[in-house]
């Protein structure tokens, strides 16, 4: 089982998929909501213990993220990502949804996948410096996997972190291998939850 945080975006035969495995050291209490916000129907969950929210909207925009690449795992509590991600989920396009995660209340800190019919973006945002980079992901019949190691920014987990870096790289490699060739959400989620070690 990949017991630490792994997030992935897949595009297979035109189907976009966002999947994630969370790494919390506690049993989270998740509350699910289905409502209209700023005229847009949204479905999301909140983990109130750490102010973490992920979800999707009626326009096909979805947001998932990891938060521990540049700071402690409780960074959501400091930045209150709930309002920020909800604002992003009220947007009609993935491109527009990147705005709030970069600016509203300091933005969402970590590695963020934002996917919509107009495209999929990987956002890396360093909580300590405010530095951010956005990359549009162009995949066909493949997966993009992220853990705690940024690919565009420095200052996250790197080789100097020793075991943490090794763990992050192993998780990424295992997730990439586990997702290889999978083209549906159910199998992707099953692959991430399999007990590999």
């Amino acid at each position: 089982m990949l017991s630490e945080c792994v997030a992935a975006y897949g595009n297979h035969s035109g189907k976009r998929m966002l999947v994630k495995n969370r790494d919390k050291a506690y049993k989270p209490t998740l509350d699910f909501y289905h409502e209209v916000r700023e005229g847009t129907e949204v479905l999301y969950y909140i983990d109130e213990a750490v102010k973490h929210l992920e979800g999707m909207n009626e326009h096909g925009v979805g947001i998932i993220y990891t938060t521990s690449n540049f700071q402690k795992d409780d960074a959501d509590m400091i930045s209150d990502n709930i309002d920020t991600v909800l604002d992003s989920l009220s947007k009609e396009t993935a491109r527009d949804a990147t705005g709030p995660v970069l600016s509203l209340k300091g933005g969402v800190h970590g590695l963020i996948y934002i996917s919509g019919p107009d495209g999929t973006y990987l956002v890396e945002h360093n909580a300590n410096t405010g530095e951010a980079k956005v990359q549009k992901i162009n995949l066909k019949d493949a997966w993009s996997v992220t853990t705690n190691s940024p690919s565009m920014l420095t200052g996250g987990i790197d080789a100097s972190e020793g075991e943490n870096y090794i763990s992050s790289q192993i998780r990424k490699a295992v997730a990439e291998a586990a997702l290889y060739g999978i083209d549906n959400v159910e199998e992707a989620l099953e692959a991430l939850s399999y007990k590999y070690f």
Side-chain angles (χ1 to χ4, degrees):
M1 174 184 231
L2 296 170
S3 60
E4 287 115 345
C5 199
V6 173
Y9 158 68
N11 184 338
H12 290 269
S13 303
K15 294 185 295 185
R16 292 176 295 111
M17 296 169 279
L18 293 172
V19 295
K20 181 173 174 188
N21 191 46
R22 291 185 76 206
D23 68 343
K24 300 305 176 192
Y26 61 90
K27 183 173 175 150
T29 300
L30 303 179
D31 295 313
F32 290 83
Y33 301 89
H34 182 200
E35 60 190 25
V36 175
R37 298 189 61 88
E38 298 180 35
T40 297
E41 184 180 9
V42 294
L43 175 66
Y44 59 93
Y45 80 86
I46 295 176
D47 180 349
E48 284 284 356
V50 291
K51 304 296 184 197
H52 187 96
L53 181 151
E54 295 174 318
M56 63 181 297
N57 71 23
E58 69 177 285
H59 307 295
V61 174
I63 299 174
I64 62 173
Y65 61 99
T66 65
T67 58
S68 60
N69 62 322
F70 300 108
Q71 69 286 315
K72 294 180 181 176
D73 227 12
D74 62 358
D76 286 353
M77 296 175 69
I78 299 164
S79 58
D80 191 7
N81 290 335
I82 291 175
D83 291 338
T84 306
V85 178
L86 281 176
D87 191 38
S88 286
L89 287 174
S90 71
K91 308 303 182 196
E92 291 188 24
T93 68
R95 183 178 174 91
D96 289 344
T98 62
V101 302
L102 290 171
S103 61
L104 185 69
K105 293 186 176 182
V108 173
H109 304 147
L111 303 167
I112 309 138
Y113 280 117
I114 302 174
S115 184
D118 62 308
T120 298
Y121 299 86
L122 174 61
V123 178
E124 293 183 2
H125 190 201
N126 187 325
N128 303 318
T129 66
E131 183 184 11
K133 290 195 177 179
V134 181
Q135 176 183 17
K136 189 169 186 180
I137 302 171
N138 295 307
L139 292 177
K140 183 175 180 184
D141 298 329
W143 288 90
S144 170
V145 175
T146 189
T147 57
N148 304 90
S149 295
S151 59
M152 296 179 282
L153 296 180
T154 59
I157 295 175
D158 60 26
S160 67
E161 297 286 323
E163 285 187 25
N164 287 337
Y165 177 74
I166 292 169
S167 170
S168 181
Q169 294 304 308
I170 289 173
R171 280 183 283 124
K172 182 173 181 176
V174 169
E176 287 171 343
L179 292 169
Y180 183 80
I182 292 177
D183 63 1
N184 68 73
V185 169
E186 291 80 14
E187 287 182 21
L189 292 172
E190 187 176 317
L192 290 184
S193 67
Y194 181 79
K195 293 184 179 181
Y196 291 96
F197 304 107

